[in-house]
Amino acid sequence: EVQLVQSGAEVKKPGESLRISCEASGYRFTSYWVGWVRQMPGKGLEWMGIIYPGDSDTRYSPSFQGQVTISADKSISSAYLQWSSLKASDTAMYYCARAVGMIGAPYYFDYWGRGTLVTVSS
Amino acid sequence: QSALTQPASVSGSPGQSITISCTGTSSDVGRYNYVSWYQLHPGKAPKLMIYDVTNRPSGVSNRFSGSKSGNTASLTISGLQAEDEADYYCSSYSSSSTFGVFGGGTKLTVL
């Protein structure tokens, strides 16, 4: 059974750093893209970026390029989303999901984690 | 503003059928048969309901079906049940984006 287990909710102050995780199981982690999706309070879903753990190929949506870092550790089948300096506007639910579709160009998500709520407030 | 346009809300009574539309452009929905639909329940992992316009993943009820005409894709839920009450999002591959693009989401209320 494919599962994506995300780390727990976080409450941080502006300017702090943060890394949230997504542990995959039930499939070959290095053979599928993993993506991150943001949902701000009361808003819709947004693609943030994807990573292919097999070779660490990472792609970012223009809106998130330079704002976050996506990484993966294939030795423990985990993907990460990281901020170096959080802002209040980073308050959101963040989902990880397995991305599939065309080879080298995934365009939908077949399995999702439950999400990690990140709250940034002074 | 989301790339794909969905109605903010739809509603229906148990047993009825409802359709949620998802309107894009000739760069996404109209060009590719790569539309997917997701169901979001609070506190639960989002669930893929439809992929590639009409395909249902294993385990998804056949009460859920997808279609497309021109630049508009649709998700139809027949025989509405209370458990179908959720937010639904469409997504499409887009030639103008690095990845897929999402719709703004539709809240389904089962009366």
Side-chain angles (χ1 to χ4, degrees), chain A residues 37 39 43-50 59-62 93 95 100 102 105-115, chain B residues 2 33-36 38 40 43-48 51-52 87 89 91-93 98-105:
Chain A
V37 176
Q39 186 175 31
K43 302 297 184 182
L45 303 176
E46 302 172 86
W47 280 73
M48 299 179 70
I50 54 174
R59 304 173 189 177
Y60 295 92
S61 169
M93 180 72 82
Y95 295 100
V100 293
M102 294 178 281
Y107 57 86
Y108 73 100
F109 300 108
D110 61 352
Y111 291 95
W112 295 64
R114 287 178 174 250
Chain B
S2 301
N33 289 325
Y34 296 149
V35 176
S36 53
Y38 305 92
L40 272 70
K44 297 178 69 174
K47 183 178 180 181
L48 174 67
Y51 68 96
D52 292 351
D87 293 331
Y89 287 84
S91 180
S92 174
Y93 180 77
T98 308
F99 318 109
V101 290
F102 283 109

Side-chain angles (χ1 to χ4, degrees), chain B residues 24-81:
Chain B
T25 69
S26 57
S27 296
D28 39 64
V29 175
R31 175 173 291 188
Y32 306 102
N33 289 325
Y34 296 149
V35 176
S36 53
W37 291 89
Y38 305 92
Q39 178 189 63
L40 272 70
H41 277 121
K44 297 178 69 174
K47 183 178 180 181
L48 174 67
M49 306 304 287
I50 296 286
Y51 68 96
D52 292 351
V53 179
T54 61
N55 295 319
R56 268 190 316 275
S58 174
V60 172
S61 170
N62 60 10
R63 297 186 299 105
F64 292 82
S65 61
S67 62
K68 190 187 85 166
S69 177
N71 294 338
T72 299
S74 299
L75 173 71
T76 297
I77 309 173
S78 60
L80 267 181
Q81 299 179 1

